[in-house]
Amino acid sequence: MIGAVSSIEYVLPLVAHIEKDEPPARTDALEAAARAVLVLLADVRSTDPEGDWHEVVEAWQGHRIRKVVRRARGGEWRRAGALPGITVAHRTAEVRVYPPIPLDGWPKDLARLQVSGTDLDEPAPPPAADPGQPVLWLNPSLEMTAGKAMAQVGHGAHIAWMGLGPGARKEWAARDFDLAVRVADPAAWPALAGSGRPVVRDAGFTEIAPGSCTVVADVPWPTR
């Protein structure tokens, strides 16, 4: 359940490990970011009213569920890893997620990290998603940096999670939050966007126009 609205607006920080010589594949980074959001939401520190992160998670969800992705390498990544959070490793990618922080209250070791520089390549086209696998479909008509897209699929996973009942959440967690991120076929996108599935509409702070439909979440369990 979304908590009471706080007077302070919070943001969820995500940090992608992007070494200059060995960057992750784009899809791997996007899937790692989406899974990282789910891992934090399901963590007992977030769900237990006595948990260390519960209060800030509730306050964050009482506003826009803003997420900001930054990149780190070398010593930056090691310093970022020393702060309380959770690192999700997924194939070639590593993403660390932190409990929400006030919009203007970034810890210095995260504040100094760059938002730019998250343009990632796709070495090979990703395979089709497995049958029954949750899929976060990206709008094929929008061009986004990997960092922007990571935030958007994080929103998609988050909105899908909020719409699931306890049984479906438990099943997804038991599957280690398995999911796929894929770019939708242009011909299929209009039907997807109008299907009634969870949809992300961007606030328009960066890169794309306000109200743009960026992601449709297709999960195999009924939403409430």
Side-chain angles (χ1 to χ4, degrees), residues 145-207:
T145 63
K148 178 70 173 183
M150 288 166 71
Q152 296 303 301
V153 297
H155 295 333
H158 191 161
I159 294 170
W161 178 259
M162 293 192 323
L164 296 177
R169 289 183 177 184
K170 185 175 181 180
E171 182 175 345
W172 206 356
R175 292 165 56 173
D176 198 24
F177 300 110
D178 176 48
L179 57 83
V181 174
R182 299 290 185 269
V183 177
D185 184 290
W189 177 253
L192 270 173
S195 66
R197 294 177 175 89
V199 171
V200 178
R201 293 194 179 278
D202 190 61
F205 293 118
T206 59
E207 296 192 26

Side-chain angles (χ1 to χ4, degrees), residues 30 46 57-58 61 73 96 188 198 202 206:
L30 268 59
S46 301
V57 169
E58 290 290 288
Q61 293 191 115
R73 60 173 63 106
R96 188 164 178 84
D202 190 61
T206 59

Side-chain angles (χ1 to χ4, degrees), residues 71-88:
R71 63 170 173 82
R73 60 173 63 106
E76 296 173 334
W77 176 250
R78 290 189 292 274
R79 287 189 292 273
L83 298 174
I86 304 168
T87 297
V88 170

